[in-house]
Amino acid sequence: MKVLNFGSLNIDYVYSVNDFVQKGETISSDKLNVFSGGKGLNQSLALSKAGVEVYHAGAIGEDGLLLEKLLRDNGVNTKFLRILSDVRTGNAIIQKNNEGDNCIILYGGSNKAISKEMVDDALENFEKGDWLLLQNEISEISYIVEKAYEKGMKIVLNPSPMNDRIFDINLNYIHCFILNEVEAEALTEKSDDKEVLLKKLQEKFPHAEIILTLGEDGSLYVKNNEVIEQKAYKVNVVDTTAAGDTFTGYYLAERLNGKIVKDSLDTAAKAAAIAVSRNGAAPSIPQKDEVLNF
Ligand code: RIB
């Protein structure tokens, strides 16, 4: 059984601000940090650090070679990562405030240069029973899902960031959704009650495993009417960027390593707690032994 993450890679420009910039305003930032990121890269790193052999497919420009090195140095297989000469690597402009919250502007760059031919090239190396992890920061996501499903791959979708492109996907093909409240509401309807939201998701996708992440309120899992609650571990919040990616990668890794849902959620919650206590996206993702000692 092989695991493929077809996802974005970004260079994150993180500006530390007291408050997020408002319409018409010009503000100064206290600090600029440049980190490796992208939901795809972050999730591949988390999977690998959690002990799963993962292939990362995607694209960078020639200015993004550091991202490939980071993945390789952390044990991710980059055989299906393309280096394109005519586009720049995707990037993110991130404002981070004193509470550790963020606002993100993405520039897709190479992430939006994924073509059907690249998808076919990568997927021909995978087969029935292999796993595919996907987010929403690259082009051709509906084609990827279509082709992976045809092959009999199991598809895990983190529909983030949420936008209309998610609705191009045949969502009945998804084996597992890992999503936050905003994404869940976009797929169903607005609801202030988390349990109701979970129920609506289950009604809409009765065959899928669903994990609803709730930030500081933890997460909720449902499959076949079995609901499992997971608390979030309290830590000093420094930067919430990539907490969700860390959770996703660790949860999936634990499940693929044969752990039961409850224990996998717990490990993922610990990993995410460590991530929010540190600065940056990729640099905040903990190693497995740190999670076990948490
Ligand atoms: O989930 C966090 C990530 O979102 C950042 O690393 C940024 O690149 C954006 O993709």
Side-chain angles (χ1 to χ4, degrees):
M1 184 265 300
K2 293 200 287 249
V3 182
L4 171 66
N5 181 13
F6 217 130
S8 60
L9 305 95
N10 287 334
I11 298 172
D12 290 352
Y13 297 95
V14 184
Y15 297 83
S16 299
V17 295
N18 287 328
D19 296 300
F20 300 138
V21 68
Q22 301 295 307
K23 181 177 174 182
E25 240 186 3
T26 301
I27 59 168
S28 292
S29 59
D30 300 328
K31 204 171 177 191
L32 167 62
N33 283 307
V34 182
F35 295 117
S36 300
K39 293 186 194 307
L41 175 142
N42 298 336
Q43 294 180 20
S44 280
L45 279 181
L47 273 161
S48 187
K49 288 182 175 189
V52 161
E53 210 185 325
V54 55
Y55 291 83
H56 188 101
I60 51 175
E62 286 168 351
D63 57 338
L65 296 178
L66 76 163
L67 302 177
E68 183 193 22
K69 182 171 180 323
L70 178 73
L71 286 175
R72 270 199 277 111
D73 288 350
N74 282 281
V76 177
N77 192 317
T78 56
K79 199 168 151 185
F80 307 117
L81 182 66
R82 294 276 186 102
I83 300 162
L84 308 174
S85 56
D86 53 346
V87 283
R88 58 182 292 180
T89 301
N91 68 59
I93 304 289
I94 304 182
Q95 296 178 58
K96 181 182 80 82
N97 70 11
N98 296 331
E99 284 73 53
D101 294 324
N102 62 46
C103 284
I104 303 182
I105 299 176
L106 291 174
Y107 172 69
S110 50
N111 296 312
K112 291 298 169 95
I114 304 293
S115 63
K116 290 191 168 65
E117 173 259 321
M118 291 183 202
V119 175
D120 292 342
D121 249 28
L123 286 186
E124 80 179 15
N125 299 280
F126 295 86
E127 58 190 15
K128 189 175 164 63
D130 289 341
W131 287 73
L132 171 74
L133 172 61
L134 205 60
Q135 313 77 28
N136 186 23
E137 285 187 346
I138 60 170
S139 44
E140 298 296 353
I141 49 169
S142 59
Y143 183 73
I144 297 172
V145 168
E146 201 68 42
K147 291 289 151 181
Y149 185 80
E150 262 172 37
K151 280 181 168 280
M153 291 177 79
K154 291 198 164 168
I155 306 168
V156 178
L157 178 66
N158 169 222
S160 181
M162 175 51 77
N163 57 38
D164 284 350
R165 291 183 338 120
I166 290 294
F167 299 100
D168 295 338
I169 298 177
N170 187 336
L171 295 171
N172 295 316
Y173 292 170
I174 305 303
H175 179 82
C176 173
F177 290 90
I178 303 179
L179 75 183
N180 65 24
E181 287 162 89
V182 174
E183 293 148 8
E185 287 181 347
L187 293 183
T188 56
E189 59 193 68
K190 204 156 171 41
S191 170
D192 291 334
D193 186 328
K194 323 287 176 247
E195 305 275 348
V196 171
L197 197 52
L198 196 68
K199 195 158 170 274
K200 286 186 192 306
L201 284 165
Q202 193 180 31
E203 278 164 15
K204 190 152 182 192
F205 308 110
H207 305 297
E209 268 182 41
I210 296 161
I211 296 138
L212 180 61
T213 58
L214 303 166
E216 61 187 23
D217 292 330
S219 58
L220 287 172
Y221 166 99
V222 70
K223 172 90 199 276
N224 296 335
N225 292 317
E226 184 197 11
V227 176
I228 301 177
E229 269 183 63
Q230 174 63 46
K231 67 171 182 183
Y233 288 91
K234 301 275 175 252
V235 287
N236 180 35
V237 178
V238 171
D239 183 354
T240 55
T241 315
D245 300 331
T246 305
F247 183 96
T248 297
Y250 262 87
Y251 174 77
L252 182 57
E254 289 292 279
R255 293 290 285 138
L256 294 174
N257 281 332
K259 300 281 164 46
I260 59 169
V261 171
K262 197 172 179 315
D263 294 348
S264 304
L265 289 172
D266 191 58
T267 303
K270 287 176 177 161
I274 297 173
V276 302
S277 70
R278 295 176 178 169
N279 267 313
S284 71
I285 302 168
Q287 299 289 350
K288 181 76 176 277
D289 57 348
E290 297 177 88
V291 179
L292 295 178
N293 291 326
F294 178 78

